[in-house]
């Protein structure tokens, strides 16, 4: 009798463990352009030139990638900090995306 319980328990435990390791794929890194459209266009504009509330003109920005990542993560002035809103991967991707605006 008790062995049946043990088997049941083992089954349950393995299913639970499996469920934990097989966690639903973390929200996949969104496409950088989509992230930009969703979170940045409001102030920076689709082309990066909008400059709402003193938002830096991204086409003219000379900030290197590392500082863009810092600024997007921690915010600055009226710009929202995106830590907790975007993943570090998304922040880096969208920072790289802003670098491409300069050449347009
Ligand atoms: C609420 C408006 C707002 C939103 C939304 C916003 N920004 Fe900004 N952004 C600003 C402002 C204001 C500045 C200038 C900050 C300062 O220097 O005081 C700025 C500056 C920047 C700079 C630096 C430009 C430079 O050369 O100084 C980068 C890069 C940047 N934003 C990227 C982004 C990205 C990427 C997003 C989306 C994830 C974003 N911003 C969303 C307002 C915004």
């Amino acid at each position: 009798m008790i062995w049946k319980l043990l088997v049941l328990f083992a089954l349950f435990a393995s299913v639970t463990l499996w469920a934990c390791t097989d966690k639903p794929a973390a929200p996949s890194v969104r496409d950088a352009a989509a992230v930009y459209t969703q979170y940045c266009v409001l102030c920076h504009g689709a082309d990066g030139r909008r400059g709402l509330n003193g938002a830096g003109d991204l086409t003219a920005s000379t900030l290197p990638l590392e500082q863009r990542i810092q600024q997007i993560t921690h915010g600055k002035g009226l710009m929202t900090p995106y830590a907790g809103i975007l993943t570090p991967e998304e922040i880096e991707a969208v920072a790289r995306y802003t670098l491409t605006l300069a050449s347009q």
Side-chain angles (χ1 to χ4, degrees):
M1 193 58 192
I2 199 93
W3 67 270
K4 274 190 182 168
L5 276 177
L6 281 176
V7 168
L8 266 179
F9 177 77
L11 262 175
F12 178 74
S14 59
V15 166
T16 312
L17 277 177
W18 174 78
C20 287
T21 49
D22 190 48
K23 55 178 177 248
S28 62
V29 176
R30 278 165 283 185
D31 178 53
V35 170
Y36 184 84
T37 305
Q38 185 172 355
Y39 293 99
C40 321
V41 163
L42 176 66
C43 297
H44 289 285
D47 62 359
R49 285 184 223 267
R50 186 155 186 214
L52 191 77
N53 294 328
D57 180 344
L58 296 179
T59 64
S61 174
T62 53
L63 275 190
L65 178 65
E66 197 45 50
Q67 287 180 32
R68 289 178 192 230
I69 292 173
Q70 288 305 315
Q71 184 155 336
I72 297 164
T73 305
H74 303 294
K76 185 178 177 193
L78 291 173
M79 181 164 152
T80 325
Y82 284 93
I85 297 176
L86 299 173
T87 66
E89 291 79 14
E90 287 170 336
I91 289 176
E92 183 179 340
V94 81
R96 285 184 193 282
Y97 179 80
T98 62
L99 283 169
T100 68
L101 295 171
S103 51
Q104 282 171 13

